[in-house]
Amino acid sequence: MGMLDKLKDLNELRKHSGELKALQAQLAKEEVVGTSKDGMVTVVLDGNQNVVRVSIEDGALTNKVQLEASVKDALFRSLDALKKMMASKFSSFLK
């Protein structure tokens, strides 16, 4: 690989770096929602994987074990939704 090829690769990396930063900024504005199967707990995450909001229905407060399971389920579902959203965004970036 010659010096010109290395310079072309470096320019290509810089170009992608800017696009990646723009994509990260866009992701930070996105939100995904995960609701437990029983509907008692909802978790909202932003594109940086930060918890934005947690909502718990009043009826969930009577059973600690069920509440724990609902929180876990809602978090799992929100993380799954986030992975899918990120895969979708990054697939368009890689094209």
Side-chain angles (χ1 to χ4, degrees), residues 63-70:
N63 185 336
K64 181 181 183 271
V65 173
Q66 183 60 39
L67 176 58
E68 290 169 346
S70 295

Side-chain angles (χ1 to χ4, degrees), residues 3-83:
M3 185 61 114
L4 285 176
D5 290 332
K6 288 181 182 182
L7 287 174
K8 287 180 186 177
D9 288 345
L10 183 60
N11 284 335
E12 195 68 24
L13 283 174
R14 284 186 183 150
K15 175 185 163 195
H16 287 301
S17 175
E19 292 171 358
L20 188 56
K21 285 181 183 179
L23 181 58
Q24 286 173 324
Q26 181 185 1
L27 284 173
K29 297 175 186 175
E30 298 281 336
E31 289 186 351
V32 295
V33 178
T35 301
S36 61
K37 189 175 182 179
D38 61 8
M40 292 294 189
V41 177
T42 299
V43 174
V44 179
L45 300 177
D46 67 18
N48 289 326
Q49 302 179 18
N50 296 314
V51 176
V52 175
R53 207 168 32 259
V54 176
S55 301
I56 300 172
E57 296 293 324
D58 290 336
L61 302 175
T62 60
N63 185 336
K64 181 181 183 271
V65 173
Q66 183 60 39
L67 176 58
E68 290 169 346
S70 295
V71 168
K72 182 179 175 182
D73 186 39
L75 184 57
F76 174 79
R77 290 170 184 261
S78 62
L79 287 169
D80 188 51
L82 183 62
K83 288 177 192 174

